[in-house]
Amino acid sequence: MIEIAIEKLFELIANGESETVEFKESFGDEALETIGAFSNARGGTLFIGIKDSGEIYKIQIGKKTLEDIANRIQDVTDPRLQPSISVIEYEKKKIIVIYVSSRTGVPVSIRGRYFRRAGRSNQRMSHEEIMQRMIASTGLSWDANIEATATLEDIDFSRVSIFVKKIKEKGRFPIPNHASDQDVL
């Protein structure tokens, strides 16, 4: 079973960088941004010890290297991530493999900055994207929120009438014939 997983990792390496695969020579800020971007998108696998070209780069892995990486990820992510971290040997060189799952709901920030994966690069998320993810995590939408300062005088009832007419034409929601536009609201 483990051999199948390792074969899959070797296949990912051979296929090169993609929306779900990233190579880094060392573990630094860009690697952390990639971890955040993967978690805010479809997930992915980060390989430490491989150049962008796909060439294996010799890295030193000490007794506490994986623990240090895990702690650093915990320190800079919010909500905190705990990706799978392991070491494989490929072409007689060691590579650190960090598998990041996709997260639904609240987006993950890296030191207060939010990233998403787009193609083979990490992109900063816009304020709108962040807010949409935050609201989606509550199970609500923008139109479910009540505007406390609004009154009926703020509503254009001519538009409501058009909307009600379209609903009745489509038959998607039963509206009694005697219901006023205000009743429908």
Side-chain angles (χ1 to χ4, degrees):
M1 195 74 163
I2 292 174
E3 289 180 37
I4 294 171
I6 290 175
E7 286 178 11
K8 176 68 174 165
L9 292 175
F10 293 156
E11 183 181 319
L12 290 175
I13 293 169
N15 289 336
E17 291 184 323
S18 68
E19 191 168 30
T20 58
V21 175
E22 178 77 13
F23 301 150
K24 294 290 179 204
E25 291 180 36
S26 61
F27 188 80
D29 289 342
E30 287 183 6
L32 290 166
E33 290 173 4
T34 297
I35 289 168
F38 281 157
S39 70
N40 291 328
R42 295 182 1 200
T45 307
L46 173 62
F47 294 93
I48 307 296
I50 302 179
K51 295 180 179 184
D52 287 342
S53 64
E55 178 186 346
I56 308 299
Y57 181 81
K58 186 172 181 167
I59 58 170
Q60 297 294 321
I61 301 175
K63 291 181 181 179
K64 293 184 69 182
T65 301
L66 299 185
E67 183 180 335
D68 290 344
I69 288 173
N71 288 337
R72 194 157 170 214
I73 293 168
Q74 287 271 309
D75 288 344
V76 303
T77 57
D78 186 26
R80 290 188 174 187
L81 292 180
Q82 297 177 337
S84 171
I85 305 171
S86 58
V87 176
I88 61 170
E89 192 167 311
Y90 186 75
E91 297 179 0
K92 298 185 181 181
K93 295 177 185 172
K94 291 184 178 180
I95 300 167
I96 297 172
V97 180
I98 303 173
Y99 175 74
V100 182
S101 298
S102 174
R103 278 187 63 105
T104 57
V106 177
V108 173
S109 72
I110 305 297
R111 292 188 187 105
R113 296 170 47 199
Y114 296 84
F115 298 89
R116 64 176 165 74
R117 193 73 174 168
R120 297 184 323 179
S121 67
N122 303 326
Q123 304 288 321
R124 290 275 309 263
M125 292 176 71
S126 70
H127 179 73
E128 184 178 330
E129 288 174 295
I130 296 165
M131 293 309 296
Q132 285 175 351
R133 288 279 301 266
M134 295 280 195
I135 288 173
S137 72
T138 66
L140 299 174
S141 64
W142 287 107
D143 57 355
N145 293 323
I146 297 173
E147 174 53 56
T149 62
T151 67
L152 286 176
E153 293 170 2
D154 296 317
I155 296 174
D156 181 349
F157 277 97
S158 66
R159 291 180 184 248
V160 174
S161 294
I162 293 168
F163 179 71
V164 169
K165 181 180 176 190
K166 287 184 179 187
I167 289 175
K168 287 180 178 179
E169 286 173 1
K170 298 286 183 185
R172 297 188 72 190
F173 184 77
I175 298 175
N177 289 333
H178 64 279
S180 71
D181 292 338
Q182 189 171 341
D183 290 338
V184 172
L185 289 177

